[in-house]
Amino acid sequence: MINAINDMNTNTTTIEREAEQFIRLFHEETGRSSEDCEIRLTEVARSLRETGTYRHTIEEITYGARLAWRNNSRCIGRLFWESLEVIDERGATTEEAVADALLRHIAYATNNGRIKPTLTVFSPEQAHGESIRIWNHQLIRYAGYNTPSGIVGDPASIAFTNEALRLGWRGQGTKYDILPLVVQINEREPRWFPIPEAYIKEVEIVHPEIANFVELNLKWYAVPILSDQVLDIGGLRYTAAPFNGWYMGTEIGARNLSDADRYDELPAIADKLGLDRSTNTTLWKDRALLELNAAVIHSYKSNGVSIVDHHTAAEQFMRFMKREEENGRSVNARWSWLIPPMSPAATPIWNRGELKEREVKPDFVARQCPYHNQQ
């Protein structure tokens, strides 16, 4: 009992310290008065004494989420951090309500292709471990099946697909089955919810010059909505806070569809292009990769879906760095994540190996996968 009390006191002290740091930063950066800041700090301190926690205003959450994007070391697209829109769903207390809110997020963020950077925030983790958790890595992702004749679909999704199957979901067994939403509240058994087809915008991958490229039957979904991270703001952990920007083309063309442990489409593309795969010296992988990435960019743009190429994204990141430096802030950055997976040496980030990663809050924080723990 004494240890439990000590742990609770330590946790409250940590929350109070981080809350003060965030509240002061929020008031400073948003131009609020020092008097308002002290009043708010008094309110927070009183709530922490009486309940062990406190509640953010929607303005605080919105700015905290934007700061988390600004601070995240692995994101190249932070130039647009101030444009993030936040949807407050802290009132959702059932699995059905959470799933409905997630569908609203998908529809709002997709915006018929004119993608809006969006974050939906649910209630934060409570002192006794109560929390809302989304098991999906991304709200929209393709299933992966380990069959006797080989893997069908996305190999990266096999473990999650198996969990969805265990819970009762059934897909059609194709390369591009949309996985369900899986929501867990507290320690209850997670529940799955289908994503209606009307919510899913997909892009067929065609090439602007190679007519038979379409015969490869490649496609990808429009919006990457990360949903398995914790949003850490002012000592509060929002364990369900799905967030999206838009795709950088190489995420699809140089990773998802190309990696040998993902869809591994480069050999089929090379054959379609008539390339010699008998030796690496023909650079068939490079040539196939280039044409696939050209096709991805062309396909998204011709379908009116927001996307950015890796050269433009790198230039935007350099503009972000310049703005941060002008505002007296150092940029938190993991260089190995910021260089794109295609032609990295041709981007200005390549020569910025001095970039450093540090712990800074607010931020998006990874957490241990729940279903891997059960295997």
Side-chain angles (χ1 to χ4, degrees), residues 292-306:
L292 174 56
N293 278 271
V296 168
I297 294 290
H298 165 76
S299 300
Y300 272 64
K301 287 187 173 295
S302 61
N303 281 275
V305 178
S306 304

Side-chain angles (χ1 to χ4, degrees), residues 60-104:
E60 289 167 351
I61 290 182
T62 298
Y63 203 72
R66 290 171 178 172
L67 291 180
W69 187 7
R70 188 178 84 188
N71 289 337
N72 192 263
S73 64
R74 298 180 297 176
C75 182
I76 196 173
R78 287 178 272 170
L79 179 64
F80 306 100
W81 67 273
E82 291 174 295
S83 69
L84 178 65
E85 298 186 45
V86 174
I87 301 172
D88 186 357
E89 294 285 359
R90 287 177 290 174
T93 58
T94 66
E95 290 89 348
E96 291 89 350
V98 172
D100 287 345
L102 296 179
L103 293 179
R104 289 193 292 272

Side-chain angles (χ1 to χ4, degrees), residues 227-248:
S227 51
D228 60 354
Q229 302 179 107
V230 174
L231 174 61
D232 193 332
I233 304 175
L236 301 185
R237 286 167 46 88
Y238 294 92
T239 53
F243 157 73
N244 72 274
W246 46 77
Y247 266 119
M248 183 169 71

Side-chain angles (χ1 to χ4, degrees), residues 37 62 77 91 98 129 205 226 249 264 271-272 315 337 342 346:
C37 181
T62 298
V98 172
I205 308 301
L226 292 170
D264 194 24
D271 291 344
K272 183 65 66 176
E315 292 170 358
W337 273 73
M342 180 178 176

